[in-house]
Amino acid sequence: MRVNPSDKLDFALFCGSELMESYVRNQIGGISPEYVGAGRGCPYRLLRAYYYGTLPASDFLPRKKVWLDGIGVAVTRETDSADKGLYLAFKGGHNAESHNHNDVGNFIIFADGKPIFIDLGVGEYTRKTFSAQRYDIPSMRSEYHNLPSFNGVLQGAGRAFEANDYRYDSDSGALDMELTAAYPRESGLEFYRRRAENKDGKISVSDSFALKNDGRAEFHLIGRCRPENIGEGCFTQDGRTVRFDPTLKLEFEEIPCDTVETAELPSTWKTDKL
């Protein structure tokens, strides 16, 4: 998410959030106002940065468990350090949110501060991004998130396509949700639930679903590098072992990043292919 640091400070002060304010001070503390206010040619940001002046630096300890019930987002960290241990973020919500990506049920995973399974991001904004052709852009479609498709059918766009029946465990930080309504009827789904948990040195994501008739399910995972050490029901991704149901067939494909909207995505993740 590309947000100017001084915007974050504005929001922290507006909400009265000491946690967010300490994060901003940790990120930009001691940096000159010219740098903080730079970017996107916005004089207002520069003037505001001078108003804040040079912020004193501070330590930041992120919370290990966060549950935002209003938008259906859960975050769990293995440690209270941003660059140590496992990190899991798991979202519900609906597909009519601002700047929506048709990504209800998506998750991201980091290990020791390194991305394992990612969200592609937004790429370059163009007229197409905010047109009827928005969901022709790969990064806006559910198949280019860590989400399944059923019988080749992707998630639908609109308020009706949503997560339901959240079940959050405040002790463990585990979250599971009903995702049937996130897919059109043509998917053939009878029900679909997803659960994600960060516990005992591993992250587990489990899907339970049923189709009305015989059909096909494909589970998509997005990474910044090609998996290695591929074995029976396992592979490694950036040095971490990933295990999956061995009855599933593992396949790889490069994500097409050949449009104006997607061309910058690989370099954002410091790679040439996703």
Side-chain angles (χ1 to χ4, degrees), residues 191-218:
F191 76 88
Y192 172 33
R193 291 196 71 91
R194 167 167 278 187
R195 174 182 172 87
E197 183 174 23
N198 185 353
K199 184 180 179 181
D200 297 332
K202 67 179 180 180
I203 290 173
S204 59
V205 179
S206 57
D207 291 312
S208 302
F209 70 94
L211 298 172
K212 296 176 183 177
N213 300 296
D214 289 342
R216 177 183 177 87
E218 294 183 348

Side-chain angles (χ1 to χ4, degrees), residues 27-264:
Q27 295 293 300
I28 64 174
I31 299 176
S32 70
E34 292 93 338
Y35 180 82
V36 173
R40 301 193 180 183
C42 182
Y44 165 70
R45 285 196 172 108
L46 184 58
L47 291 172
R48 182 179 53 188
Y50 272 111
Y51 171 76
Y52 286 140
T54 302
L55 297 173
S58 70
D59 293 330
F60 172 70
L61 292 178
R63 294 176 181 170
K64 294 175 69 174
K65 293 194 290 290
V66 178
W67 168 230
L68 304 174
D69 57 346
I71 56 176
V73 171
V75 172
T76 53
R77 299 176 185 273
E78 188 177 11
T79 74
D80 57 8
S81 173
D83 59 358
K84 294 181 181 179
L86 294 172
Y87 170 91
L88 166 69
F90 181 31
K91 77 174 292 290
H94 59 80
N95 281 335
E97 296 169 350
S98 177
H99 295 240
N100 179 62
H101 281 205
N102 282 359
D103 60 353
V104 176
N106 189 38
F107 63 85
I108 59 174
I109 294 173
F110 279 61
D112 296 330
K114 297 179 180 179
I116 304 299
F117 296 120
I118 65 173
D119 184 290
L120 289 175
V122 297
E124 185 70 24
Y125 285 151
T126 67
R127 180 182 299 177
K128 184 176 182 180
T129 309
F130 300 99
S131 73
Q133 288 76 47
R134 177 179 180 83
Y135 297 105
D136 292 341
I137 302 172
S139 57
M140 306 295 171
R141 290 154 47 186
S142 61
E143 67 179 320
Y144 292 108
H145 291 78
N146 299 308
L147 288 164
S149 59
F150 300 98
N151 292 316
V153 178
L154 309 179
Q155 287 190 5
R159 184 62 181 83
F161 300 96
E162 63 180 357
N164 293 289
D165 191 22
Y166 299 110
R167 301 176 187 177
Y168 178 70
D169 186 330
S170 59
D171 292 329
S172 68
L175 173 65
D176 76 86
M177 61 185 74
E178 171 71 38
L179 294 173
T180 312
Y183 291 81
R185 292 181 180 178
E186 304 87 76
S187 66
L189 274 176
E190 281 191 340
F191 76 88
Y192 172 33
R193 291 196 71 91
R194 167 167 278 187
R195 174 182 172 87
E197 183 174 23
N198 185 353
K199 184 180 179 181
D200 297 332
K202 67 179 180 180
I203 290 173
S204 59
V205 179
S206 57
D207 291 312
S208 302
F209 70 94
L211 298 172
K212 296 176 183 177
N213 300 296
D214 289 342
R216 177 183 177 87
E218 294 183 348
F219 301 90
H220 308 110
L221 296 170
I222 311 299
R224 59 176 296 277
C225 61
R226 185 182 177 89
E228 299 177 331
N229 303 318
I230 300 165
E232 184 74 13
C234 68
F235 58 86
T236 58
Q237 186 82 351
D238 274 329
R240 291 284 180 152
T241 300
V242 180
R243 301 188 185 280
F244 61 94
D245 186 333
T247 63
L248 298 174
K249 180 182 178 183
L250 186 63
E251 298 177 344
F252 309 102
E253 66 178 47
E254 181 183 341
I255 295 175
C257 295
D258 52 4
T259 66
V260 174
E261 295 84 6
T262 59
E264 294 181 357

